[in-house]
Amino acid sequence: GAVLSFACHDSCQAWCQIINVSELHSSLLTSMDETLSEMNWSISTPAGSKYHLYIGLALAIGSSIFIGSSFILKKKGLLKLADKGVPRAGQGGYSYLKEWLWWAGLLS
């Protein structure tokens, strides 16, 4: 495939990716290429685009792990305080602010 880059009048830029161009449609791509070259637009293949999927996937999985573990740590901290018989935050207690496990969950 190829990537078409279009420059707008208000200094924006739009990208369009063409995938699976068949022989029947190659004449259309050739005519688009001629039109783009007349208008000073460009057709190029993106550099490193195959790694963008893996980077995005790794970031999504990593953030899910951190978010999930933060909920678990905060809940464990609150349950630890509940076992001690400390008043809950809804009852006017703020002892969870002294619990290191709750803070670990908040910071993660």
Side-chain angles (χ1 to χ4, degrees):
V3 175
L4 303 176
S5 172
F6 301 100
C8 304
H9 295 290
D10 58 352
S11 73
C12 293
Q13 198 168 26
W15 294 88
C16 176
Q17 185 172 6
I18 300 172
I19 302 172
N20 293 336
V21 178
S22 65
E23 291 180 18
L24 297 175
H25 298 297
S26 63
S27 62
L28 175 64
L29 185 60
T30 305
S31 66
M32 286 177 64
D33 187 24
E34 292 170 2
T35 304
L36 290 173
S37 64
E38 291 173 6
M39 300 179 85
N40 289 331
W41 291 349
S42 64
I43 296 179
S44 63
T45 57
S49 66
K50 64 181 178 179
Y51 298 112
H52 291 176
L53 173 69
Y54 299 120
I55 292 171
L57 188 61
L59 288 172
I61 291 171
S63 67
S64 295
I65 289 170
F66 278 115
I67 290 170
S69 65
S70 74
F71 284 123
I72 292 170
L73 289 173
K74 285 170 58 175
K75 184 67 176 180
K76 292 271 190 189
L78 293 174
L79 289 174
K80 187 176 175 183
L81 289 172
D83 288 342
K84 293 179 182 178
V86 178
R88 300 179 63 167
Q91 299 168 342
Y94 297 102
S95 59
Y96 65 94
L97 294 174
K98 296 177 184 177
E99 179 63 40
W100 70 270
L101 200 55
W102 186 87
W103 279 104
L106 181 72
L107 294 175
S108 69

